[in-house]
Amino acid sequence: MAEQVLAADGTPLKASLNRALRRQKMRALLLIAPLLLFIMLTFIIPIGQMLFRSVENQIVGDTIPRTVEALDSWDHDADAVPPAPVFDALAQDLMVAVELKEHTRLGSRLNYEMSGISSLFRKSGRKVDDIGEVYTDQFVALDPAWEEPATWVGLLADPKWIAAREAWDGTGDEPAFIMSRAAKTVLPQTASIYADFARVIQTEDNDSPAEEEPWHVVYLALYNDLTANPSLEVTGPLSGLVSSAATAVPSFETEDVVATFEGFDDDWKNPEVWETIYTYSPAYTNGYFLNSVDLQKTNEGVAWQPENEQIYLTLFWRTMLMSMTITISCILLGYPVAWMLANLPARKANMLMILVLLPFWTSLLVRTSAWKVLLQNQGVINDLLVWIGFVADDNRLALINNATGTIIAMTHILLPFMILPLYSVMQTIPVTYLRAAKSLGATNWTAFWRVYFPQSVPGIGAGSILVFILSIGYYITPEIVGGTKGVFISNRIAYHISSSLNWGLAAALGAILLAIVLALYWAYDRIVGIDNVKLGG
Amino acid sequence: MSLPIYATTGQKIWYYSFRVIVGLILFFLIAPIIIIIPLSFNAENFFTFTPKMLALDPEGYSLKHYRDFFTNPDWIRPLKNSLIIAPFATIISVSLGTLAAIGLSQSHVPFRRGIMAILISPMIVPLIISATGMFFFYSQMGLWMEQTFGISKSLSGYIKVILAHAALGIPFVIITVTATLVGFDQSLTRAAANMGATPTVTFFRVQMPLILPGVISGGLFAFITSFDEVVVVLFVGAAAQKTLPWQMFTGLREQISPTILAVATVLVGISILLLATVELLRRRSERLRGMSPS
């Protein structure tokens, strides 16, 4: 056995070295940690959160939970429109949502999927507080005690809450309402809507459920509970009141809630509205992603959007096509310049390099404004063309607010990103290869095409991916010089964020764009290596 | 690639036409930037050369657009905002970025590739996506800051934009500083340590002076990134944080005023200064590290 080598302090050398290595790793990580944390917090998490929005759809389930639950029992084939209990549930949900001012938000969410729903919700929201009034009147006629808030509290509140409320000294907020467990089992629907009522009264109106008469829909719920289970029994002092009500309800005049809703708006009879609500009731949806590729969810599965609403595939395709055109123009314009720079003596090359680097360093907005000014109908370029007689004065070229404008301006803006990587690759190609090819009898063209060009391909690859990545995510330049025909997918994302407020769709479009860019970036890393990115020569 | 004396006529034609082509391409690159300079002195509110200008009549030229830029509050405020936001963002990116670059250039860094990818990501992710993500997150963060620390809406607005811009500037600092550190001789720090210098002294007296050119050019990149940035500030900032590029963007999109050309000219001047500084620093850094400047 070989003798163990010891370090100066007597520990085995191997262990000592390992420790040193570990310490070194720790030190390196400690130096990186602050920045990593910073980037995570200010950049990665925001993007992750945004991407999450593309599948998030809690709003439907959160705003109209009872309706979503009741819709499960809806037999799509047998009934065009859901059965009455769904409408009862909707009346209760809508009442709560109106009080919390959430129904318009839900309306605009569902409006992305089917136009018209927004106004449907707004309209119904204004009248929903009348639903159930028939039952309120009859319960009160039966026994005026039903009008008393105290009756409801006695029936439904947990004794703990009543005690807490009595102990409360009146300063600050009233203790939050607690529903009694017995009421939840005996009067499930009533308990559920009353709990919401108490919450709304306490948080929104800063009032007490012990002093407010409940909404009409609470009476509707009580009626439903009593008819569903006529033999129910409530313990305590109010049992008589409830049992007499239970015997009276079968003779109550009823309200057809379905008809009431249809009275609000005919659209409640429209099966499509219900299909939309049903389709978008789960908490997570792929609907935004489907929409961003011109598909939509229907009850028969995934289908194409109507012809006139199919815009995103075209837009993605156009973004790709224009980015490719820009990349190719950059190759065509960049290659000769890079060749020239690589083959001139250093002093001259440095002078020319300034002409490439100055645009690179110039503000993007300066370059965009320059093109906006130059390409105008009455701008310098058109003036020049008219002056040399290339075009007639009354027939000036439309160079701006279309795809041409975007391509010209973006080629100019991205050209340095092509020239710089090409130049750095070409610099490494020895000139002697070309001379050798020529001395072996190759023509100039053959020498270039068979010897020089293949060696410059890595440069073309690196430059192309770089230009392509930058160009498909461009926003500013297309927005200013692109008009309507020359805009990219980014402009649509910005539109959905700031104008249409369809954030989920914006997030889905962004996620797709990001996936494309990351795939290209991965390829770039493979070909060039991210460490080899050079800035400014 | 000078032309040999025995070149044929065809070769001569190709040689010169190639130079003309390259010249035209370089003209395409530089002309739009140069041409706005004389246009910015236009005495009229036109975006093209007036007959008076073409005749080099002094009356055709004036400084009125520059006067507008430096007196109009619509431009002064954005200029001030840009000059507040960019330096702070630069300080954050440079200080955190330099430390991390030094960490990354050590010989044994676990997950080096992954860490690098995360740190470079603000440069890779399209700006519109960064802006969208930041829009949601930072508005919540702003509210949180206002409620927890009781700071004003305007201050929290500045903090949001500064943090966002700092994140965008970091990749540039990382790239330039790591590139400088590649040429840094690690035995110098060992030598310093050998002679009894503490790590702090070594860092400030030995390592820092040598990598300073890289740090400064990284800083300039970060500065120009923030100074030139419009998409993120558009989404994250409020009207109180309107920066110069934002004002230009609104001007270009809505009602274009010739003052924009004066602003653009000033910015071109700033770019020339920055470019010259970076170039000088690069040469100095190469000389310091014993390479021959090219």
Side-chain angles (χ1 to χ4, degrees), chain A residues 323 327 414 462-474 513 516-525, chain B residues 123-127:
Chain A
S323 301
T327 311
L414 296 174
S464 302
I465 296 182
L466 195 58
V467 169
F468 194 82
I469 288 182
L470 289 170
S471 107
I472 58 171
Y474 243 61
L513 180 62
I516 298 173
V517 169
L518 288 184
L520 286 168
Y521 167 63
W522 178 80
Y524 184 85
D525 194 27
Chain B
M123 197 173 82
I124 307 297
V125 175
L127 271 176

Side-chain angles (χ1 to χ4, degrees), chain B residues 96-287:
Chain B
L96 293 178
T98 308
L99 276 187
I102 291 173
L104 278 170
S105 66
Q106 313 265 313
S107 41
H108 301 282
V109 186
F111 318 112
R112 187 168 189 283
R113 251 183 118 75
I115 291 175
M116 196 72 177
I118 291 176
L119 297 185
I120 300 291
S121 61
M123 197 173 82
I124 307 297
V125 175
L127 271 176
I128 188 74
I129 295 177
S130 316
T132 319
M134 288 171 165
F135 169 71
F136 296 119
F137 184 79
Y138 281 56
S139 59
Q140 292 163 358
M141 193 178 81
L143 279 181
W144 177 79
M145 282 195 297
E146 281 153 34
Q147 280 159 6
T148 329
F149 304 117
I151 56 177
S152 71
K153 211 167 176 60
S154 138
L155 180 61
S156 82
Y158 281 109
I159 295 176
K160 286 191 289 187
V161 178
I162 287 171
L163 289 180
H165 277 183
L168 293 181
I170 276 165
F172 298 97
V173 178
I174 293 278
I175 288 176
T176 40
V177 179
T178 21
T180 320
L181 282 166
V182 168
F184 180 75
D185 188 354
Q186 290 290 345
S187 55
L188 290 177
T189 49
R190 273 181 232 129
N194 224 354
M195 290 173 184
T198 60
T200 332
V201 172
T202 319
F203 176 72
F204 281 109
R205 303 270 308 268
V206 178
Q207 195 165 19
M208 201 57 189
L210 281 171
I211 62 166
L212 195 61
V215 174
I216 294 179
S217 36
L220 289 177
F221 267 109
F223 183 85
I224 201 87
T225 309
S226 164
F227 198 70
D228 198 16
E229 206 288 322
V230 52
V231 190
V232 167
V233 73
L234 212 56
F235 280 78
V236 173
Q241 287 85 43
K242 196 176 232 190
T243 59
L244 205 51
W246 182 349
Q247 176 65 23
M248 288 180 83
F249 179 66
T250 346
L252 285 173
R253 203 160 54 161
E254 281 144 30
Q255 192 195 12
I256 177 163
S257 117
T259 310
I260 254 178
L261 293 178
V263 182
T265 308
V266 172
L267 290 182
V268 169
I270 294 176
S271 334
I272 293 177
L273 271 179
L274 285 178
L275 171 62
T277 320
V278 171
E279 192 58 24
L280 282 176
L281 286 170
R282 190 176 65 88
R283 292 182 184 203
R284 186 184 141 77
S285 146
E286 285 179 355
R287 210 171 46 241

Side-chain angles (χ1 to χ4, degrees), chain B residues 22-150:
Chain B
V22 172
L24 284 177
I25 298 170
L26 288 172
F27 178 77
F28 168 73
L29 261 176
I30 206 79
I33 297 166
I34 301 300
I35 209 158
I36 55 170
I37 297 175
L39 277 179
S40 70
F41 293 100
N42 199 335
E44 308 287 335
N45 286 342
F46 294 146
F47 291 101
T48 186
F49 290 100
T50 55
K52 271 188 182 167
M53 292 180 89
L54 291 173
L56 291 179
D57 184 347
E59 272 178 32
Y61 295 86
S62 95
L63 286 172
K64 68 179 220 186
H65 303 313
Y66 289 87
R67 251 191 315 271
D68 186 41
F69 175 35
F70 289 112
T71 52
N72 190 341
D74 284 352
W75 286 103
I76 290 291
R77 249 203 90 72
L79 178 66
K80 274 189 192 150
N81 278 337
S82 279
L83 290 176
I84 293 170
I85 290 164
F88 278 110
T90 309
I91 290 171
I92 297 177
S93 328
V94 169
S95 48
L96 293 178
T98 308
L99 276 187
I102 291 173
L104 278 170
S105 66
Q106 313 265 313
S107 41
H108 301 282
V109 186
F111 318 112
R112 187 168 189 283
R113 251 183 118 75
I115 291 175
M116 196 72 177
I118 291 176
L119 297 185
I120 300 291
S121 61
M123 197 173 82
I124 307 297
V125 175
L127 271 176
I128 188 74
I129 295 177
S130 316
T132 319
M134 288 171 165
F135 169 71
F136 296 119
F137 184 79
Y138 281 56
S139 59
Q140 292 163 358
M141 193 178 81
L143 279 181
W144 177 79
M145 282 195 297
E146 281 153 34
Q147 280 159 6
T148 329
F149 304 117

Side-chain angles (χ1 to χ4, degrees), chain A residues 302-317:
Chain A
V302 176
W304 288 102
Q305 293 267 23
E307 196 89 346
N308 56 350
E309 282 170 32
Q310 295 185 6
I311 51 168
Y312 295 108
L313 282 184
T314 327
L315 205 52
F316 270 115
W317 176 238

Side-chain angles (χ1 to χ4, degrees), chain A residues 91 94 119-120 123-131 255 257-268:
Chain A
L94 207 53
S119 72
L120 180 65
K123 218 156 140 195
S124 311
R126 280 198 295 267
K127 303 176 190 158
V128 72
D129 52 349
D130 293 337
I131 295 182
E255 175 181 8
V257 180
V258 183
T260 316
F261 267 103
E262 280 165 12
F264 292 167
D265 195 310
D266 276 346
D267 267 351
W268 287 118

